[in-house]
Amino acid sequence: MSSEQTPTTPDITGPRPRRLTYAALLAALEGLALVVGGVWMLVLGLTGHPDDRRQAVTGGITLVVLALLPLLAARGLLGRRSWSRGPAVITQLMALPVAYNLLQADSMAIPAGIALAVVAVAALVLLVNPETTRALGIRGPGNLEK
C-alpha cells in the first residue's frame, strides 16, 4: 500500500475544538427533543383519547427511532469520528423544513419553529467550519496532504 493510499486518522491528541463540542451538543439536544416528543406521543396515544390510537403510537415510535440519528452523530462527533458529520448534517437539513412548517402554523408552534431553525442553522455552520473538518480528519476532494 503506498503512502497515498494509507488512510489517515485525525489527530485526537490535542483538545477537542469547541466548535466540534458545540455541534455535538446541538445534535444531542435535537435527539433528546425527538425522544421526549416521541415518548410524549406514545404516552398520550396509549393513555389518552386520541382520534387514532394506532397513528399516535406509530408516530411516537417513529420519533424515538429518528432520535437515534442525531444521538449517534453527537456521540461520533464527541469521539472525533469522521463518519459522524454526515448524519449530523443530514439531521440539520431535515430539521429546516420542519422548522419552516412550524413557522407557518398559526399557533404556539411558531416559537418552536424559531428555536429549531436557529439550532439547525447554528449546527450547520459549526459542522462545515474548517476547524471542525480538520478535527474530524476530513479532507476535501483532491486534497492529498497528510
Side-chain angles (χ1 to χ4, degrees), residues 51-128:
D51 293 335
D52 186 356
R53 185 176 306 263
R54 185 181 309 156
Q55 184 177 4
V57 171
T58 302
I61 292 171
T62 301
L63 284 181
V64 171
V65 171
L66 282 175
L68 293 175
L69 184 66
L71 291 174
L72 289 173
R75 181 176 168 98
L77 290 171
L78 286 175
R80 291 187 176 181
R81 306 289 188 254
S82 61
W83 60 262
S84 61
R85 189 172 81 159
V89 168
I90 289 169
T91 299
Q92 306 321 313
L93 293 176
M94 289 178 5
L96 290 173
V98 173
Y100 179 78
N101 283 335
L102 290 172
L103 290 171
Q104 298 304 310
D106 236 1
S107 68
M108 301 271 299
I110 292 174
I114 293 169
L116 181 57
V118 168
V119 168
V121 169
L124 277 171
V125 168
L126 292 169
L127 288 166
V128 299

